[in-house]
Structures are given as C-alpha cells and as structure tokens.
Amino acid sequence: MGLRIDKMLANMGYGTRKEVKKLLKSGVVKIDGVIVKDPKTQVNPSEQVVTVRGEEVEYKEFIYLMMNKPPGVISATEDIVEETVIDLLEEEDRAFAPFPVGRLDKDTEGLLLLTNDGQLAHQLLSPKKHVPKTYFAVIDGEVTEEDIASFRRGVVLDDGYETKPAELVILKSGLRSDVEVTITEGKFHQVKRMFRALGKRVVYLKRIQMGPLVLDPSLEVGEYRELTDEEVEMLKQFRP
Ligand code: URA
C-alpha cells in the first residue's frame, strides 16, 4: 500500500503538511537512501526505508491508546466549549486522528480506549457483541443482596427499558457502599440509571475493564499509554 511522503510524515507527527513540505525541500528526507523533495512522491512504508536526518521513520497505520480518563473532560473528539479526551493527547498521537471507543460520562473516570482502527471499534461497540464492561462504583446508601438479585434479573430504567442481566458484587456495604458492576450494554448513563431504578445514587464511577482489556493500575488519572502488542491481539481475538 502506497501513500504520499508528505502524508506519511504528517501522520507520524513531523508537522503539518505545510511544515513537512519545508522539511522535504530542505533535503533531509530520504527514501531508500535517496533524497526526495517532492511532497507528492509515493512511498510504500512496509517495503521502503524512510529517514529524516538519518533517523528511520517507523510507520504504523493504527494507534491504540489506553487512557485513565479524568473527570471533567468529555469523551468526544471535539467540542467548542468543553475539554475533550483528545485535547489530553500529545501532538504526535493526535496526528493519527484517534477517537474514543464508546463514551464515559463527563464525571466518570477510568478505562477509555482510543484508536483510529474503525473496524476494531465497531466490533467492540456493536450491541450484538455484548462486550462486558466492569465499573467500580461508590453508592450513596446500603447495597443489598436484593439489589444483586435485581441486577441479575435486569432492571427497568426510567424510560421503561429493561436492561440485560448485570453482575453486581458488593465490596463494602454501609451507608456508602463500594461495588463492582458488570454490564454488557452501553445505554446512556446506564450504571447510574440502574442504581436510580433501585432508589440509590452513584456518587463515584470508574470503568476498570472492557472486554479483556484491564485498566493499567500504574496509569494516573489523566495519563495514557499505547496498548502492548499482546493487548491489541487480545482485543482483536476477543469473542464474548
Ligand atoms: N454508566 C454510566 O452511568 N456512566 C458512564 O460513564 C458509564 C456507564
């Protein structure tokens, strides 16, 4: 598969198309050892070696990022007013035009996958696939065995929709309870609405797992990293 050298370098974070054009003009870019100056030059990154000032440019088409989403930012690619998860990325990662796979509410934290691999995103988001998503939640109120049974049966939300069975695990019960919830759908505000249906309120929500992908505990809130090759493979192979 070939592409224009200016597009390849722009994708890899060497600047805007205009900046890349200047770079090419200055004679520091080579394909297989030969200086190229024409931005329209076609290159096949899987077969040819591209260097900038002698340093090899490693080309990849797709990017896969795991973010520990902080509260206060929205899971969208752009917004006129609000800060988005894309705003938190380094320029070199943003150059790949990744988008969030699914949404977390503005005040929800935790695991968010960002990629430009539309096919994988589609697989993970398809309602037919029932990809399980696990959340840690703090609930204002005492969570009981009855609640576990209700979640297992499915809960009727405020709009009359009956959810699929969900798994509820009580980690700590009290006036404030710590729980883990696993759902296989992604209705708007689903976890919060499921608890509201039982007369309880979610005061803190953090996603910790999506399919086989587990939030890296070493990622501070607001930090992100690339997925390992193993994690990408695991996601691609995943069949719930
Ligand atoms: N359920 C919610 O209520 N909010 C989220 O962000 C994710 C799941």
Side-chain angles (χ1 to χ4, degrees):
M1 191 196 67
L3 79 164
R4 282 172 57 139
I5 185 72
D6 59 345
K7 176 144 204 299
M8 175 187 174
L9 293 175
N11 281 356
M12 295 310 296
Y14 283 88
T16 60
R17 283 275 187 110
K18 208 167 153 196
E19 286 160 355
V20 164
K21 204 171 163 187
K22 268 196 208 152
L23 196 69
L24 284 156
K25 223 172 158 191
S26 73
V28 296
V29 180
K30 291 181 181 171
I31 300 178
D32 287 340
V34 180
I35 293 176
V36 286
K37 293 192 169 182
D38 182 355
K40 292 199 290 292
T41 309
Q42 287 284 316
V43 57
N44 184 340
S46 55
E47 283 170 16
Q48 294 176 300
V49 176
V50 177
T51 56
V52 175
R53 295 190 194 88
E55 205 177 289
E56 191 171 334
V57 178
E58 230 183 285
Y59 186 71
K60 53 183 179 190
E61 188 180 2
F62 294 125
I63 192 169
Y64 304 91
L65 304 170
M66 170 193 293
M67 178 182 282
N68 185 357
K69 179 193 169 296
V73 299
I74 62 167
S75 308
T77 47
E78 49 187 16
D79 194 273
I80 319 166
V81 200
E82 307 271 13
E83 190 180 23
T84 74
V85 288
I86 302 299
D87 295 331
L88 301 178
L89 302 181
E90 306 273 350
E91 181 49 46
E92 63 191 63
D93 296 318
R94 214 179 307 152
F96 284 87
F99 54 87
V101 179
R103 282 168 186 270
L104 291 177
D105 295 339
K106 185 176 171 186
D107 62 352
T108 301
E109 296 178 17
L111 177 62
L112 188 66
L113 174 65
L114 297 129
T115 185
N116 56 352
D117 182 344
Q119 202 183 334
L120 181 72
H122 178 76
Q123 269 185 43
L124 292 170
L125 292 177
S126 163
K128 281 185 240 130
K129 294 275 162 72
H130 309 301
V131 173
K133 284 152 288 222
T134 302
Y135 296 83
F136 168 79
V138 179
I139 310 301
D140 185 16
E142 190 172 350
V143 178
T144 62
E145 293 294 322
E146 239 169 80
D147 297 331
I148 294 179
S150 301
F151 269 48
R152 199 176 287 141
R153 280 193 299 269
V155 174
V156 179
L157 301 182
D158 43 20
D159 58 359
Y161 176 79
E162 188 176 345
T163 71
K164 298 233 156 34
E167 195 187 330
L168 179 58
V169 177
I170 301 172
L171 303 174
K172 191 183 104 212
S173 185
L175 289 177
R176 278 206 162 191
S177 307
D178 293 349
V179 298
E180 259 178 35
V181 192
T182 302
I183 57 175
T184 58
E185 329 165 78
K187 301 280 171 221
F188 187 61
H189 297 327
Q190 181 159 343
V191 173
K192 292 173 187 165
R193 287 164 71 209
M194 286 178 81
F195 278 100
R196 208 178 300 144
L198 304 180
K200 283 161 200 178
R201 198 166 62 90
V202 173
V203 291
Y204 174 80
L205 191 60
K206 175 182 188 172
R207 182 155 65 192
I208 52 176
Q209 189 164 351
M210 181 174 181
L213 192 64
V214 178
L215 178 65
D216 183 339
S218 72
L219 282 179
E220 301 281 341
V221 174
E223 283 185 347
Y224 72 94
R225 67 158 169 82
E226 279 199 56
L227 295 195
T228 63
D229 292 345
E230 290 74 32
E231 285 170 331
V232 173
E233 257 336 283
M234 210 164 60
L235 276 178
K236 288 185 177 169
Q237 308 279 324
F238 181 64
R239 301 282 177 278

